[in-house]
Amino acid sequence: MAPPYEAMSYTWDSPALTHELAIDGKLLRTTKKVYIIVNDRSSFWKSRLFWIDFICINQKDEQEKNSQLLLMQDIYRKASRVIVWLGSSPDAGNVPIMLSHLQLLSRLVNSGRYLDLQGSFWLAYQQAQRHRMPALIEFLAEPYWLRVWIVQEIALADTVHILYGRTWISWEDLLPAIEFFLTVNPRSVLQGANHVSVSDRIPDTEISQISTIAKLKRFAHPHNSIPLSRILHVCGRSNATNPRDKIYALLGMISDSLNFIPNPDYAAPVGEVYMGMARYLVQNSNPLLLLHQAGIGYHRALTGLPSWVPDWSKPIQAHPLARGFLGSQADSCRYRATGDSLPPPDVLLGDMLRLEGYRVDAISGVQDSFLEATHDLRANAAKTVRWVTEAQRLASRRDPLALRYGRLRNEAFWRTLIGDRSKSHRPAPMEFVRGYKYWLRRLFQRSGIEFQDSSSFHLAMGSPGNPRLTDSPLRDLLGDSPFQEALYKHSSSIQFEGLLREASFGRKFAVTDTGYMVLVPPGTRVGDTIYAILGTETPFVLRRSERDDAFWLVGESYVQGMMDGERLKQGDTPEQLLTQ
């Protein structure tokens, strides 16, 4: 039986070999970070056995690196513990205190003692933790959390401890804080109180990634293999220095990975690696989930790939519309554009896919601008005004949009902007219209652009009314204060803004020949056609290729009023769609 050992998980830095370590009586040149880690874990008082990739794998031997890759699953699963090494920070000691405080708040929230989650957070922030929040934000913003290799290193480990400076933090102590950030949305509270310098630093992408790893960790054990297509989907926004690692770094998460690439090859062209992975995915379970990550409607770094093969080296920056994975919460807001239909058997035909689907409509108008997934709404409010104004003008066409949605056209518009769903279910509650109105007003105020009632927004704006806040811990302290009212409006606005970011950022608003409002990839053109493809969650935009009988995949789309199998209920026969 092997002696117990620790496995290190860290972020590589500069590859320059500037330091030396004495190992087994010999000197090994190494990087500065590896030198620091080894010295940090060394002890004069006892021997300590630990595994670190830079030393334990011969970095000059490509064949050894390829073979060792297949052992990562066992290395991290069998370690006595995995140590996440984040380096030093002068404020590291404040992090566990803040985590403990958020953990206490989470328990109070779960027990029902606090009805107003954001009010509870504000009280804690003001009374005790104001100076500690920046330390927690710095901790969560570490580049480590977006590294693709850490997914398996953490998810497969039995015990995970985080070393931050001289402070130890357990993985279990981190998770309540992540859940709290996702549930309470402290950004809206801090912005509403004009603590913008703190709120704008909250690392949403990193928090989301930690949450994803936590979900994978709950599912990942030897008897519960997760389909590789789902892992690639949820980890698509992770970072990797070598584009092949977007595949290789995740193979340890599944039990059937050895059947795909017996010997991962870093000498193989990236396009060849991606094509081999795509072939594997369409020939196994859930074969069409990869379509949600593909399409020529997004920027692609690799040339020569078929349109249906994802370019994992340049992942789609828009949030995925497909959510049918990793938990009941995702299932409750999943789109079902083709119901419970299945794709046809043997969809792979050479380098093309043989799909089946129903024609929904053709694109008749698409806006010129779009918001990048990293777009900063506060810093670029004027650009956001132009974007939403373009979309509103398209939505204000009299025919056939007026016929399609009638008097509900304005409601259809704001529902389209957020994909008509909340964080936990769909359709979105009707109360979100207030968040939309508050968001629009704040947007124009930020931009400095005068709002004109005669513009195309006048029907959408209306009057948000003067809703009263529900009872909360703040009421006894502050009463019906202006701060309470402002916090409510700001919270509604930020909530709508967050949903809009997930659905619309990285996409364009468009309309179709028969009046549907849609969200499409930024490369969509007038004349492209929307299809409901059997076996997928959302409709897709397709474009005729040079071959009359074939299409290019442009990308997934949202179609207001066509996300629950409505097209399949019309009773006609699906078309054969050859996709290259």
Side-chain angles (χ1 to χ4, degrees):
M1 183 176 179
Y5 65 93
E6 300 171 343
M8 305 302 299
S9 179
Y10 65 105
T11 304
W12 280 38
D13 59 356
S14 168
L17 305 179
T18 57
H19 290 65
E20 290 184 339
L21 287 170
I23 299 178
D24 293 336
K26 298 180 180 181
L27 292 179
L28 175 70
R29 295 191 65 81
T30 185
T31 67
K32 178 181 179 180
K33 179 171 284 189
V34 171
Y35 178 84
I36 293 174
I37 292 174
V38 172
N39 277 278
D40 186 67
R41 298 304 300 142
S42 300
S43 171
F44 285 108
W45 311 109
K46 65 177 180 179
S47 298
R48 179 177 288 133
L49 188 64
F50 66 92
W51 188 93
I52 184 169
D53 55 0
F54 190 89
I55 296 176
C56 297
I57 300 176
N58 185 354
Q59 300 300 317
K60 298 179 181 180
D61 189 333
E62 292 296 327
Q63 184 175 357
E64 179 178 337
K65 288 168 65 176
N66 292 338
S67 62
Q68 287 285 325
L69 186 96
L70 301 176
L71 302 176
M72 293 295 183
Q73 183 183 51
D74 288 336
I75 289 171
Y76 283 91
R77 195 188 296 276
K78 294 179 180 179
S80 59
R81 68 171 174 173
V82 169
I83 297 177
V84 173
W85 195 89
L86 295 183
S88 61
S89 170
D91 294 326
N94 283 322
V95 174
I97 299 174
M98 191 67 198
L99 290 176
S100 298
H101 208 84
L102 293 182
Q103 188 174 38
L104 175 61
L105 279 181
S106 296
R107 291 173 181 169
L108 293 173
V109 167
N110 292 333
S111 68
R113 292 177 61 184
Y114 279 148
L115 300 178
D116 185 337
L117 309 187
Q118 295 190 328
S120 304
F121 169 76
W122 175 249
L123 285 178
Y125 180 78
Q126 283 289 78
Q127 292 176 356
Q129 308 305 330
R130 184 172 180 172
H131 64 289
R132 294 191 175 102
M133 179 61 80
L136 179 59
I137 291 175
E138 180 184 356
F139 168 80
L140 295 174
E142 283 286 334
Y144 169 87
W145 299 116
L146 294 183
R147 177 175 168 261
V148 69
W149 279 103
I150 75 165
V151 175
Q152 71 166 354
E153 292 170 0
I154 293 177
L156 297 178
D158 181 57
T159 302
V160 177
H161 289 153
I162 303 165
L163 181 57
Y164 190 42
R166 308 312 305 170
T167 301
W168 287 96
I169 302 168
S170 75
W171 177 257
E172 289 73 21
D173 287 341
L174 173 61
L175 297 186
I178 296 301
E179 184 65 26
F180 193 85
F181 269 94
L182 295 174
T183 302
V184 175
N185 191 6
R187 180 191 299 275
S188 66
V189 184
L190 297 172
Q191 286 186 357
N194 292 321
H195 288 252
V196 176
S197 62
V198 177
S199 68
D200 283 357
R201 292 164 52 200
I202 295 177
D204 295 324
T205 303
E206 287 83 349
I207 290 171
S208 176
Q209 181 75 346
I210 296 172
S211 177
T212 295
I213 295 173
K215 293 176 183 177
L216 287 169
K217 188 170 177 59
R218 288 197 295 269
F219 284 93
H221 55 78
H223 305 293
N224 187 25
S225 179
I226 307 171
L228 183 56
S229 57
R230 297 188 177 191
I231 298 174
L232 287 169
H233 197 106
V234 299
C235 299
R237 303 178 79 182
S238 300
N239 296 329
T241 304
N242 190 318
R244 298 168 186 82
D245 286 340
K246 297 301 288 288
I247 304 296
Y248 295 157
L250 299 171
L251 294 182
M253 295 290 297
I254 59 170
S255 61
D256 59 348
S257 61
L258 298 184
N259 297 326
F260 163 52
I261 306 179
N263 293 295
D265 185 5
Y266 278 95
V270 177
E272 181 180 311
V273 174
Y274 288 3
M275 187 67 193
M277 171 56 72
R279 287 177 174 275
Y280 169 82
L281 293 177
V282 299
Q283 291 174 321
N284 289 271
S285 60
N286 206 352
L288 299 187
L289 186 59
L290 87 163
L291 296 186
H292 294 277
Q293 308 164 63
I296 61 173
Y298 299 92
H299 175 67
R300 290 158 75 89
L302 294 179
T303 59
L305 288 177
S307 65
W308 57 271
V309 176
D311 180 1
W312 283 288
S313 72
K314 185 70 175 180
I316 291 173
Q317 291 303 303
H319 286 267
L321 293 174
R323 288 191 183 178
F325 45 79
L326 297 182
S328 58
Q329 181 173 350
D331 288 340
S332 65
C333 59
R334 186 200 306 188
Y335 297 123
R336 302 180 184 276
T338 59
D340 296 321
S341 65
L342 298 174
D346 301 323
V347 297
L348 189 62
L349 183 65
D351 287 344
M352 296 189 289
L353 292 186
R354 182 168 45 199
L355 307 173
E356 292 183 357
Y358 296 88
R359 186 182 186 276
V360 176
D361 211 348
I363 301 294
S364 64
V366 59
Q367 64 182 150
D368 294 327
S369 64
F370 80 104
L371 303 180
E372 300 279 357
T374 56
H375 178 73
D376 187 337
L377 284 170
R378 294 187 60 86
N380 300 285
K383 181 178 180 180
T384 311
V385 167
R386 289 194 296 272
W387 172 82
V388 74
T389 301
E390 284 183 17
Q392 183 69 23
R393 285 172 182 163
L394 283 173
S396 298
R397 291 181 176 181
R398 293 192 176 277
D399 293 311
L401 285 165
L403 297 177
R404 170 66 61 188
Y405 300 110
R407 299 178 62 184
L408 299 178
R409 180 170 51 173
N410 294 307
E411 179 184 339
F413 178 69
W414 68 258
R415 288 188 180 277
T416 302
L417 294 184
I418 61 173
D420 197 17
R421 63 182 173 189
S422 69
K423 289 284 189 180
S424 59
H425 62 278
R426 67 180 189 88
M430 189 61 195
E431 65 195 48
F432 278 20
V433 68
R434 288 178 174 173
Y436 169 53
K437 294 170 182 177
Y438 293 139
W439 175 75
L440 275 180
R441 286 201 170 100
R442 288 181 60 245
L443 180 62
F444 274 86
Q445 290 171 357
R446 288 180 192 166
S447 68
I449 300 174
E450 184 178 356
F451 182 83
Q452 299 291 335
D453 286 341
S454 60
S455 71
S456 59
F457 288 96
H458 73 281
L459 289 177
M461 291 296 291
S463 173
N466 186 31
R468 291 183 58 82
L469 300 178
T470 57
D471 290 338
S472 73
L474 285 175
R475 178 171 294 280
D476 293 336
L477 292 176
L478 302 176
D480 294 319
S481 68
F483 173 75
Q484 265 191 308
E485 185 68 19
L487 179 60
Y488 176 85
K489 291 181 178 180
H490 197 89
S491 175
S492 299
S493 170
I494 290 295
Q495 184 179 32
F496 184 88
E497 185 176 291
L499 296 172
L500 175 127
R501 182 182 296 274
E502 290 192 3
S504 292
F505 278 28
R507 298 187 174 90
K508 288 186 176 181
F509 182 89
V511 294
T512 68
D513 288 343
T514 63
Y516 285 107
M517 298 183 193
V518 299
L519 297 174
V520 294
T524 301
R525 303 172 184 170
V526 171
D528 289 344
T529 307
I530 299 175
Y531 279 88
I533 297 175
L534 298 183
T536 62
E537 295 183 27
T538 71
F540 283 82
V541 180
L542 301 182
R543 180 180 301 158
R544 286 283 180 184
S545 69
E546 294 96 342
R547 291 181 48 166
D548 291 338
D549 63 338
F551 293 88
W552 286 311
L553 179 77
V554 179
E556 64 177 359
S557 67
Y558 172 85
V559 182
Q560 178 63 24
M562 194 61 69
M563 302 303 290
D564 287 290
E566 292 88 347
R567 181 60 184 86
L568 274 65
K569 299 173 184 178
Q570 297 179 16
D572 51 338
T573 303
E575 299 179 32
Q576 301 293 315
L577 306 170
L578 199 61
T579 306
Q580 61 182 43

